[in-house]
Amino acid sequence: DTAVSQTPKYLVTQMGNDKSIKCEQNLGHDTMYWYKQDSKKFLKIMFSYNNKELIINETVPNRFSPKSPDKAHLNLHINSLELGDSAVYFCASSPIGQGILDGYTFGSGTRLTVV
Amino acid sequence: KQEVTQIPAALSVPEGENLVLNCSFTDSAIYNLQWFRQDPGKGLTSLLLIQSSQREQTSGRLNASLDKSSGRSTLYIAASQPGDSATYLCAGPNQAGTALIFGKGTTLSVSS
């Protein structure tokens, strides 16, 4: 299946831990993104990578570090997790930086709960 | 700075009704606008993508329109069904064209 896939789907961890979320797309898209959906269900851009190059870093704490080993993968590593990091994190991709032709495709999300 | 607003925040209708969801955006220079559906605890499913050169797009019972001059888009759902119950999100590109900016969504509940 062609898709954007994220792992894990659920992640429960204690404050202070370090965790990673992985994302892979087999759509051949050039650009990948991480979005955060907070408790009020509002989706906000965190990072954007185009061909492994960072394009956007939207006032995200430096405890969050994206890594793109190739244009099909964009992983999110979070250090020293805090209660406020609890949210659903969505990975997405688009054909080119602007998503003009085919729009954006989203993964199914990773629900992170920090206890 | 692109801002996207959706009204109403929530909507409850009986099955069979036709309904309209509204989306407004501040940057009229957008080149496309995308409507998504999100079911509880699930990811986002793309419903319709409207290019700036188009005025509307249709998929089944869904019809989305785009009016750049007024900064508005509407999603029309015909003959609503309980299976249409979900949150509907509209999103447009930021001014740099490097990411999507989302509205806060309209949560639709269709009763049988």
Side-chain angles (χ1 to χ4, degrees):
Chain A
D1 289 341
T2 54
V4 177
S5 57
Q6 300 178 225
T7 55
K9 188 173 177 64
Y10 300 97
L11 185 53
V12 181
T13 188
Q14 291 185 328
M15 284 176 57
N17 283 350
D18 302 338
K19 291 293 179 185
S20 292
I21 306 172
K22 295 185 177 181
C23 180
E24 175 181 5
Q25 55 95 3
N26 61 5
L27 299 163
H29 289 172
D30 297 299
T31 308
M32 296 184 71
Y33 311 82
W34 279 109
Y35 281 80
K36 178 179 180 180
Q37 188 171 43
D38 60 25
S39 58
K40 296 183 179 180
K41 309 301 182 188
F42 186 45
L43 269 161
K44 191 171 181 181
I45 182 71
M46 298 175 68
F47 299 104
S48 165
Y49 266 75
N50 181 265
N51 276 323
K52 304 191 294 178
E53 298 290 330
L54 179 65
I55 303 298
I56 288 180
N57 180 344
E58 284 286 327
T59 61
V60 176
N62 57 16
R63 297 182 295 103
F64 290 77
S65 54
K67 294 284 193 304
S68 182
D70 55 61
K71 77 172 193 176
H73 295 83
L74 181 60
N75 304 322
L76 184 63
H77 188 75
I78 315 170
N79 290 327
S80 303
L81 278 156
E82 300 177 357
L83 293 177
D85 297 332
S86 296
V88 181
Y89 293 84
F90 285 97
C91 179
S93 70
S94 67
I96 58 176
Q98 299 173 339
I100 290 177
L101 297 178
D102 297 325
Y104 289 66
T105 302
F106 280 77
S108 57
T110 295
R111 182 173 296 275
L112 172 65
T113 303
V114 182
V115 298
Chain B
K1 180 181 176 183
Q2 179 73 281
E3 294 182 2
V4 179
T5 304
Q6 291 186 248
I7 54 171
L11 183 61
S12 292
V13 299
E15 182 176 7
E17 277 204 7
N18 302 324
L19 54 100
V20 175
L21 308 181
N22 297 292
C23 173
S24 61
F25 45 90
T26 53
D27 180 10
S28 61
I30 62 168
Y31 42 79
N32 63 28
L33 188 133
Q34 198 164 357
W35 282 92
F36 295 87
R37 168 182 172 143
Q38 185 175 27
D39 293 282
K42 303 291 185 182
L44 279 70
T45 301
S46 179
L47 297 174
L48 289 164
L49 171 69
I50 315 173
Q51 306 292 353
S52 61
S53 58
Q54 302 168 321
R55 290 194 62 84
E56 60 179 59
Q57 278 278 13
T58 298
S59 176
R61 294 181 295 107
L62 304 179
N63 175 276
S65 67
L66 176 63
D67 184 346
K68 289 180 57 176
S69 62
S70 66
R72 293 180 182 176
S73 176
T74 60
L75 179 67
Y76 175 82
I77 303 177
S80 57
Q81 302 172 356
D84 295 331
S85 299
T87 296
Y88 291 81
L89 297 157
C90 76
N94 62 3
Q95 287 182 320
T98 51
L100 274 181
I101 305 299
F102 281 84
K104 293 188 177 181
T106 294
T107 299
L108 172 66
S109 175
V110 181
S111 55
S112 56

